Amino acid sequence: MDADATPSLSRSTVDPAGHRRVDEDWLAKAWEDPGSQVLVLEGGDPGSHGWQALMAKQSRALVTTGDTRELVLTRTRDAPEGERYLLGTEGDRAYFAVRSPRELLANPVAEPASLREVGAVLNDRDTGLLTRAIALANWNATHRFCPRCGARTTPAASGHVRVCEEEGTEQYPRMDPAVIMLVHRDREGEEEVLLGNNPNWDARRFSVLAGFVDAGESLEQAVIREVAEEAGVVVERPRYLSSQPWPFPRSLMMGYTARAVGETERTDDEIAVTRWFTRPELFEAARAGEVLLPGRVSIARTLIEHWYGAELPGGW
């Protein structure tokens, strides 16, 4: 059985409605529409380092407790003051996000939760809304000054553009491209997967390899270079599988598989331990808790289970 190759944070049912972002009349009417809904994000002063660290690591929204986890969306008239973003539309309903400068209000049937905590268990609509909202909040919080002249920037296009107050130049949301790859090989007629442990992790935590794309480098070149640097393994035929937004704070993860064909000098100490697993070995190690695999919110889990062919137990 092939496991689903759609990463958790790539799910969405909401139309981004890009053409509506600069339509001020439509935006005003949509905000006044009682059917519109608002996702409130916990934040703070965007000029403070603490707020940026909070947004990058633990952006939170209210999520209902109980068997079904859902975002708590409010009416526009009940939304707090704060920077506002258009998230998109679904039918006649518009969705907005507001970055609130204060702690989320207490709610007897809800609790604050981060995208890392609930991204894999929310429905497709809510996952898409929360992922986009956090990506926009992080970008706006960290791009308050023009990279050309250093002047302040002002949000425009409902949070999807920032305009330099001095030069009028426009800045658009930035993403850092990264490759994440599952390396496999055939050894004595049985296929194995390569997983690594970062020295800053629990010794039981293992995942696939990953790294940022260098300037002037293709995605396939990045796959080959990163595997060689981190694991001392030569790979060939990188094959694209799927991608996932990873707004912590602004990465885009491009998932690949690649076949190992040899060894080379290892030049990076980012990975402390590498291990090869057959499918039965990986299942038993995960079931016994000897190996802790990535959580389901990450594309790393998608790559591993796609190779394995089914869901695996455990995760962190």
Side-chain angles (χ1 to χ4, degrees):
M1 180 183 73
D2 284 339
D4 185 3
T6 302
S8 292
L9 301 190
S10 297
R11 297 175 293 129
S12 179
T13 62
V14 175
D15 181 349
H19 63 295
R20 296 297 192 186
R21 298 169 188 167
V22 294
D23 188 338
E24 296 298 334
D25 289 339
W26 182 90
L27 289 168
K29 291 177 181 177
W31 186 258
E32 295 299 324
D33 189 329
S36 295
Q37 294 187 315
V38 180
L39 168 61
V40 180
L41 292 179
E42 180 184 64
D45 177 7
S48 71
H49 175 74
W51 189 92
Q52 294 181 26
L54 172 69
M55 290 303 302
K57 297 178 181 178
Q58 196 72 5
S59 303
R60 302 196 301 175
L62 281 177
V63 178
T64 55
T65 58
D67 295 336
T68 302
R69 309 297 295 278
E70 295 180 341
L71 290 177
V72 176
L73 302 175
T74 186
R75 294 174 297 184
T76 55
R77 70 181 188 185
D78 297 325
E81 292 294 324
E83 199 164 87
R84 186 188 305 171
Y85 317 122
L86 174 66
L87 301 181
T89 60
E90 190 174 37
D92 295 330
R93 171 168 288 168
Y95 292 97
F96 294 88
V98 169
R99 191 183 70 194
S100 175
R102 65 174 186 264
E103 293 269 337
L104 292 170
L105 300 178
N107 187 305
V109 295
E111 62 184 12
S114 72
L115 181 62
R116 287 181 184 269
E117 293 169 333
V118 298
V121 298
L122 293 175
N123 61 37
D124 291 357
R125 184 204 67 175
D126 284 3
T127 297
L129 289 175
L130 187 53
T131 301
R132 183 177 295 274
I134 290 174
L136 287 170
N138 284 343
W139 176 72
N140 276 279
T142 56
H143 287 75
R144 296 170 57 247
F145 298 93
C146 176
R148 289 168 53 94
C149 70
R152 288 187 176 275
T153 59
T154 302
S158 198
H160 293 75
V161 177
R162 294 193 73 90
V163 180
C164 175
E165 294 180 358
E166 292 292 332
E167 300 178 334
T169 53
E170 296 180 343
Q171 302 296 323
Y172 293 84
R174 297 293 190 265
M175 290 182 294
D176 298 327
V179 288
I180 182 166
M181 44 276 174
L182 181 139
V183 177
H184 59 103
R185 72 180 181 187
D186 184 80
R187 185 171 181 269
E188 298 179 355
E190 193 162 15
E191 197 171 35
E192 297 178 320
V193 65
L194 177 67
L195 301 180
N197 170 267
N198 185 292
N200 297 319
W201 295 349
D202 181 300
R204 297 173 298 163
R205 286 176 58 175
F206 279 81
S207 185
V208 295
L209 306 180
F212 288 104
V213 180
D214 276 352
E217 185 175 54
S218 72
L219 300 176
E220 290 77 14
Q221 289 170 334
V223 169
I224 294 170
R225 174 184 56 78
E226 284 286 346
V227 174
E229 290 176 354
E230 293 185 357
V233 173
V234 179
V235 297
E236 66 177 11
R237 293 187 293 171
R239 294 183 177 178
Y240 173 79
L241 181 65
S242 60
S243 65
Q244 179 183 56
W246 193 246
F248 306 111
R250 55 178 177 274
S251 296
L252 175 64
M253 308 296 293
M254 270 92 44
Y256 279 81
T257 62
R259 181 172 294 277
V261 294
E263 298 180 353
T264 187
E265 180 185 4
R266 180 179 168 186
T267 59
D268 193 311
D269 60 0
E270 186 175 340
I271 299 298
V273 177
T274 58
R275 288 179 61 182
W276 290 95
F277 297 88
T278 64
R279 287 182 174 87
E281 288 171 346
L282 183 60
F283 177 84
E284 287 301 324
R287 183 186 61 81
E290 173 192 342
V291 166
L292 301 179
L293 297 175
R296 301 191 185 282
V297 75
S298 170
I299 189 175
R301 183 65 171 239
T302 304
L303 290 170
I304 293 170
E305 292 187 340
H306 180 264
W307 172 83
Y308 181 75
E311 291 189 358
L312 285 160
W316 42 266

